[in-house]
Amino acid sequence: MAKELWDAYDREGNLLGFDLVRGEPVPEGVYHLVVEVLAVTNDGRVLLTKRHPDKAWGGCWEYTGGSVVKGETPVEGALRELREETGIAVSAQDLHPVYVDTWPETAGMGAGSSIYHSFVTFFDLSKQAIRLQEGETVDHKLLPYESFKRFLLEDRFVDVVRRRFLDHQEDFDRIITEHFK
């Protein structure tokens, strides 16, 4: 199986001109891009997935996310991760940027220091079929946004995803409130 390659970036998001390989050590001061997508149905429910038990944080809940592969933009990575992990397909214009945040290796999921690009998207569940990605996700649930914010505080939610959401909750709240006005 081919190794997954990532572009190497500095802390400010500038390309460094060399590749990183998933699973291999990331040099100090070098970052890779990670995306997260909070997918919300047109009736205001958040799509959550349960991580495969063999993965880091196995059995815990989260919203969609993953590493941006070599040559991808954050938007392309977000669209791919959402489609792969959930079967939900949206277009680039359906992604609403929430934040860009840098996290050190110790705060991530074992993949080195990362620059997170977070998005919210809205989708019509009646026109999409949720399909889980084998080896990645084993279950899903849809929770109204306010219920999601309570569920996120439980131990069965991925801690680092929770912390990033809470750090930027006002931005998520604003985007979702504006959408449903």
Side-chain angles (χ1 to χ4, degrees), residues 81-108:
E81 286 288 343
L82 185 63
R83 188 178 58 256
E84 285 176 356
E85 291 186 6
T86 69
I88 301 301
V90 298
S91 64
Q93 55 266 31
D94 295 324
L95 293 177
H96 304 271
V98 182
Y99 66 84
V100 177
D101 204 354
T102 304
W103 280 63
E105 195 280 325
T106 56

Side-chain angles (χ1 to χ4, degrees), residues 38-105:
L38 187 74
V40 182
T41 63
N42 284 342
D43 64 355
R45 293 178 293 158
V46 175
L47 174 60
L48 299 177
T49 55
K50 189 174 193 178
R51 292 176 65 82
H52 189 281
D54 294 340
K55 294 184 63 68
W57 297 93
C60 290
W61 293 88
E62 65 183 349
Y63 46 89
T64 300
S67 294
V68 174
V69 297
K70 180 177 176 55
E72 275 185 331
T73 66
V75 167
E76 291 166 341
L79 296 172
R80 177 186 49 76
E81 286 288 343
L82 185 63
R83 188 178 58 256
E84 285 176 356
E85 291 186 6
T86 69
I88 301 301
V90 298
S91 64
Q93 55 266 31
D94 295 324
L95 293 177
H96 304 271
V98 182
Y99 66 84
V100 177
D101 204 354
T102 304
W103 280 63
E105 195 280 325

Side-chain angles (χ1 to χ4, degrees), residues 133-168:
Q133 183 180 15
E134 192 169 328
E136 291 282 330
T137 53
V138 296
D139 198 1
H140 79 279
K141 63 172 70 184
L142 293 160
L143 293 176
Y145 186 61
E146 293 302 318
S147 298
F148 154 73
K149 291 193 296 186
R150 289 189 299 275
F151 181 75
L152 169 98
L153 300 174
E154 296 182 14
D155 286 344
R156 47 195 182 143
F157 204 88
V158 174
D159 178 61
V160 292
V161 176
R162 172 191 313 116
R163 286 190 279 155
R164 283 190 294 275
F165 178 87
L166 293 174
D167 284 351
H168 300 278

